[in-house]
Amino acid sequence: MNIGIFTDCYYPQINGVVTSVMTMKAEMEKRGHKVIIITVKVPGYVDEDPNVIRIKSVPFYKWSEFRVALPFFYDVYLKLRKQNLDLIHTHTEFSVGMFGKNFARLHKIPRLHTYHTMYEDYTHYIVPFGRVEGVAKSLVKRYSKVYVKKYDAVIAPSEKTKEALIRYGVNNEIYVMPTGVDLERFERLPVDDTRLEKIRRDLGIELGDHIILSLGRVSEEKSIDIIIRQMPNLFKTVPNVKLLIIGDGPAREGLEALTAKLALSDKVVFGGSVDRQEVPLYYSLAEVFVSASHTETQGLTILEAMASGTPVAVWKDENIKDVVEDRVSGRLFGSEEELTMCLQDMLGSSQQNAIMADRAFEKIMALSNEAFGDKAERIYDDITRRKGVTGDGNNKAVFRKNKGRK
């Protein structure tokens, strides 16, 4: 099968969408399929993979780490016409995603969309006040419904996302498919591993320090401020603890100011962005991983921490339902006070942590890359079969029929 994946987010950018797309590409190629990635150009980055096609782009609004394609698609359009695509799978709702959606419509190719982001939780970036933000949320819900209307099916990474789409009025067939986790990549390292020693040395962390880790985009919706604000209370019972924040984003400056205001500069370490290959090291470094985000569709970093054998403390949310069970495969909290109590228990009970980590790993085995790839292939086969596509890359009649259209 020839698969076209259209996304406005791709490596060298690092986020959940990128992880999902890269995992899907690798798993489909293992199964003998050809995968073409269509995405944005990133200044200074050159792909080694000939099956990645990039479109000229510019930074998006005030978030320079995100980019949108310029409307110069014709050369890419000509390249794609030669690929005889059997299926188009879009992963974003912006310029490249819309290009993929329209290309599929024009050439009558089955189209599938993964709804990765709950945009109603992000409207504060555009209209950060009162009634207007409420209007923005309503518009986002309506746009989401309209955007996916003509797709043959939609993938939701969690039941939480599926339920939200149904509330929006989405009538498409919706598959629930969490992104897979590379279990081998996140194997836990011993505390005396030389790579971990170097990180501790570079960040000024002592071997005996209890390390709480927050990893991911540093933005308002991740609610990292909750973790920082509870630290003074945690110190009362666990004095030798440090919060390590790995990642970067628009909220970093404000969080650093909050840290200084609370006189926590020696206890909260901002490590900045790290190379994708080094991410597993930080899970191994940590004694506990914390996610206070209320807006996750799946929470890949939570799953990665669980795969790494790192006990997790997670905000009570539907996205981790049946994955993180309180006192079984992790801890759940719903306030700063509850987080403090969870951390006090976890940092004082290595035996209980080990039991929770083992149970967490058992749960995460069902979310391996292999399981993800198997389910994605079944969905692809189901959609192409229903649409009468052979899946052998020989659907040239479709292209002849549309020859000459622009």
Side-chain angles (χ1 to χ4, degrees):
M1 185 183 298
N2 292 340
I3 303 162
I5 293 182
F6 290 71
T7 175
D8 293 81
C9 302
Y10 198 62
Y11 197 78
Q13 186 180 358
I14 299 174
N15 59 35
V17 176
V18 175
T19 298
S20 181
V21 171
M22 293 182 73
T23 302
M24 185 165 287
K25 183 177 191 297
E27 290 300 317
M28 290 301 100
E29 288 175 341
K30 283 181 187 177
R31 290 160 175 77
H33 304 290
K34 181 179 180 180
V35 180
I36 307 293
I37 301 290
I38 301 89
T39 188
V40 295
K41 282 187 177 180
V42 177
Y45 184 78
V46 179
D47 291 288
E48 296 180 0
D49 186 346
N51 289 329
V52 177
I53 299 174
R54 292 189 183 262
I55 302 168
K56 290 180 180 179
S57 67
V58 294
F60 176 62
Y61 193 37
K62 54 186 177 183
W63 307 288
S64 59
E65 68 267 37
F66 294 105
R67 304 186 68 84
V68 292
L70 293 171
F72 306 129
F73 298 144
Y74 188 64
D75 57 336
V76 175
Y77 170 84
L78 294 177
K79 289 180 183 178
L80 290 175
R81 284 189 54 163
K82 299 176 183 178
Q83 296 297 329
N84 297 326
L85 296 176
D86 299 300
L87 176 77
I88 283 178
H89 187 173
T90 60
H91 286 259
T92 50
E93 296 79 10
F94 305 109
S95 53
V96 177
M98 292 180 70
F99 174 42
K101 177 184 178 181
N102 290 325
F103 187 91
R105 175 187 58 79
L106 182 62
H107 294 289
K108 304 187 187 307
I109 301 170
R111 48 184 166 174
L112 172 70
H113 181 68
T114 294
Y115 194 87
H116 286 280
T117 306
M118 300 298 297
Y119 293 104
E120 63 176 299
D121 295 322
Y122 292 75
T123 53
H124 57 269
Y125 282 117
I126 303 171
V127 283
F129 48 89
R131 184 181 301 176
V132 178
E133 186 176 357
V135 173
K137 288 181 183 294
S138 297
L139 290 174
V140 162
K141 294 174 184 179
R142 180 171 177 78
Y143 176 74
S144 297
K145 175 185 176 180
V146 171
Y147 183 85
V148 303
K149 186 174 182 179
K150 297 295 184 180
Y151 277 91
D152 296 298
V154 177
I155 289 177
S158 66
E159 287 289 344
K160 171 188 175 181
T161 309
K162 178 180 178 178
E163 290 169 6
L165 291 173
I166 292 172
R167 287 199 309 273
Y168 295 172
V170 170
N171 295 317
N172 308 62
E173 180 171 7
I174 303 175
Y175 297 92
V176 176
M177 186 176 72
T179 298
V181 179
D182 187 342
L183 300 182
E184 292 183 4
R185 178 171 177 245
F186 292 100
E187 183 179 4
R188 192 163 187 82
L189 300 174
V191 68
D192 60 352
D193 187 283
T194 55
R195 290 167 292 180
L196 301 187
E197 290 178 351
K198 182 180 186 304
I199 292 173
R200 281 193 292 266
R201 188 166 57 250
D202 291 346
L203 296 177
I205 296 172
E206 300 294 332
L207 184 59
D209 287 338
H210 296 289
I211 303 301
I212 300 169
L213 174 67
S214 169
L215 188 148
R217 178 170 159 78
V218 181
S219 52
E220 181 180 339
E221 65 277 0
K222 301 299 183 181
S223 301
I224 300 171
D225 61 307
I226 290 175
I227 312 174
I228 295 174
R229 291 181 191 279
Q230 64 80 45
M231 290 294 284
N233 287 328
L234 182 61
F235 296 147
K236 294 175 182 177
T237 54
V238 190
N240 59 327
V241 63
K242 287 190 176 178
L243 170 60
L244 175 58
I245 299 172
I246 295 298
D248 213 339
R252 177 169 176 173
E253 185 177 345
L255 293 176
E256 289 177 332
L258 174 63
T259 298
K261 179 181 178 181
L262 297 175
L264 297 175
S265 297
D266 61 334
K267 296 292 187 179
V268 179
V269 180
F270 290 85
S273 297
V274 299
D275 186 89
R276 181 174 178 272
Q277 300 304 319
E278 295 183 355
V279 166
L281 300 178
Y282 291 86
Y283 291 120
S284 288
L285 185 70
E287 192 168 338
V288 178
F289 173 84
V290 179
S291 172
S293 174
H294 312 174
T295 65
E296 302 299 317
T297 55
Q298 180 182 1
L300 271 176
T301 55
I302 299 169
L303 305 184
E304 290 174 354
M306 294 170 73
S308 301
T310 305
V312 300
V314 182
W315 185 271
K316 296 174 186 176
D317 191 75
E318 286 296 308
N319 73 295
I320 43 80
K321 184 180 179 181
D322 300 327
V323 178
V324 181
E325 296 181 66
D326 195 35
R327 300 182 184 273
V328 177
S329 54
R331 296 300 307 272
L332 298 175
F333 63 93
S335 66
E336 293 176 24
E337 294 76 15
E338 288 183 8
L339 174 57
T340 300
M341 289 187 288
C342 287
L343 292 174
Q344 287 171 339
D345 289 346
M346 297 174 80
L347 297 176
S349 179
S350 57
Q351 183 177 0
Q352 182 61 28
N353 283 351
I355 293 171
M356 288 194 299
D358 287 343
R359 290 172 177 167
F361 189 80
E362 290 174 5
K363 286 182 174 289
I364 217 70
M365 287 179 68
L367 298 174
S368 67
N369 279 357
E370 290 73 20
F372 176 68
D374 288 343
K375 186 161 187 177
E377 188 176 44
R378 288 196 298 271
I379 293 172
Y380 285 0
D381 285 343
D382 185 30
I383 293 171
T384 53
R385 185 170 56 252
R386 282 192 279 121
K387 299 296 288 186
V389 174
T390 61
D392 59 6
N394 291 315
N395 296 292
K396 295 181 181 179
V398 172
F399 287 86
R400 288 197 202 99
K401 183 177 180 180
N402 291 282
K403 189 175 181 181
R405 290 189 184 180
K406 297 294 186 289

